[in-house]
């Protein structure tokens, strides 16, 4: 691994909130504190780092707070892109604070900053015609119809037989608008948290405007890694790598794999669309875009995945 080039680390949902937890600030901060110890190990080993993170459950909760505020107190609800911005703020705050404390405790003189980040998507993206990403609470059919009447731009659909939910488009990330600033900060030695929740989705035709959509965080992490010239992209999650025949008796972990081999398995449909597939796509795209190494690993194995051979390591 080339230590001159930065490592982009994408923190999965479980680094923030674990299954079964209610989502108090204290729970989330404690999870983040545990995750930042592993990140600090990598910094201590001499790597320069950019961090990104998901926001699925958090942006869902923020939207509910806005809806409840509107219903209970007449405080106008904000659009989804502004809710996304709110989550970048508080999640960035948690990571920044926990990681800075950890670095200070180890006498590592590195400053941690969070950059509010917008991700450019195309207004022509076919995802805008077919919203597929469920966000926020479950409703009955009647509640959904009522909400759709008062919010004509909202689209509701049944979510896997569990109830009705608002569906939003999940367009392809094209460009991280703050990439140059992030690259400069990382180059100057700052530990940068950016592109949280895939970045705030914006379109541009002359002026830039926020749009109601949710960008996949793994695909946005890839854009970030490519645009800041990272040496490796590390996607951290709650499994220790990419498996073939996952969840069956025949499951087998891919340790070291090539671009061609992994792409072959992707085309055969080995990876579930809502979870492992976007990670594999991001890993492959990074190599396509000139990256040296993509890694999919569990948070606990971060240092050994980057400096050793844990997780699934994908190279040309
Ligand atoms: P994150 O919040 O990190 O993005 P996801 O739940 O989206 O987490 O993705 C990780 C999950 O992907 C794992 O917990 C695992 O259950 C699931 N998964 C699906 N297919 C595979 C596979 N082929 N190999 C490994 N994990 C897989
Ligand atoms: Mg995911």
């Amino acid at each position: 691994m080339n230590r001159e080039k930065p490592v982009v680390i994408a923190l999965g949902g479980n680094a923030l909130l674990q299954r079964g937890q209610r989502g108090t600030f204290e729970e989330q901060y404690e999870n983040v504190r545990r995750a930042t110890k592993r990140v600090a190990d990598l910094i201590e080993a001499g790597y320069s780092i950019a961090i990104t993170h998901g926001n699925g459950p958090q942006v869902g909760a923020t939207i509910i707070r806005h809806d409840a505020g509107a219903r209970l107190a007449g405080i106008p609800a904000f659009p989804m892109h502004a809710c996304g911005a709110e989550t970048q703020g508080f999640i960035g705050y948690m990571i920044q604070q926990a990681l800075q404390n950890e670095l200070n405790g180890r006498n590592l003189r590195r400053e941690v900053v969070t950059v509010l980040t917008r991700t450019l998507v195309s207004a022509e993206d076919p995802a805008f015609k077919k919203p597929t990403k469920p966000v926020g609470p479950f409703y009955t059919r009647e509640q959904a119809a009522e909400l759709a009447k008062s919010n004509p731009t909202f689209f509701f659909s049944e979510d896997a037989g569990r109830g009705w939910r608002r569906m939003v488009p999940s367009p392809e990330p094209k460009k991280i608008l703050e990439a140059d600033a992030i690259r400069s900060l990382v180059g100057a030695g700052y530990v940068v948290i950016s592109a949280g929740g895939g970045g705030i989705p914006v379109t541009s035709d002359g002026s830039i405007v926020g749009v109601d959509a949710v960008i996949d965080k793994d695909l946005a992490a890839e854009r970030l890694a490519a645009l800041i010239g990272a040496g490796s992209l590390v996607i951290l999650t709650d499994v220790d790598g990419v498996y073939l025949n996952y969840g069956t008796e025949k499951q087998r972990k891919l340790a070291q794999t090539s671009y061609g081999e992994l792409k072959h398995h992707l085309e055969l449909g080995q990876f579930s669309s809502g979870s492992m597939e976007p990670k594999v796509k991001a890993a492959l795209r990074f190599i396509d875009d000139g990256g040296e190494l993509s890694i999919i690993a569990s948070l606990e194995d971060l240092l050994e995945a980057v400096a050793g051979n844990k997780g699934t390591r994908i190279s040309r």
Side-chain angles (χ1 to χ4, degrees), residues 279-292:
K279 298 183 201 310
V280 167
K281 278 189 179 161
L284 292 170
R285 277 185 198 177
F286 182 59
I287 305 295
D288 253 336
D289 290 337
E292 290 157 34

Side-chain angles (χ1 to χ4, degrees), residues 119 173-176 218-228 289:
T119 302
K174 299 182 84 68
K175 207 172 139 192
I176 307 292
D218 298 312
L219 298 180
E222 187 283 326
R223 294 280 66 223
L224 176 69
L227 289 166
I228 70 166
D289 290 337

Side-chain angles (χ1 to χ4, degrees), residues 255-278:
Q256 193 79 39
T257 183
S258 69
Y259 177 92
E261 186 191 18
L262 189 63
K263 188 162 191 189
H264 174 72
H265 294 305
L266 173 70
E267 282 161 359
L268 289 177
Q270 276 282 339
F271 312 117
S272 328
S273 62
S275 54
M276 192 46 75
E277 189 184 76

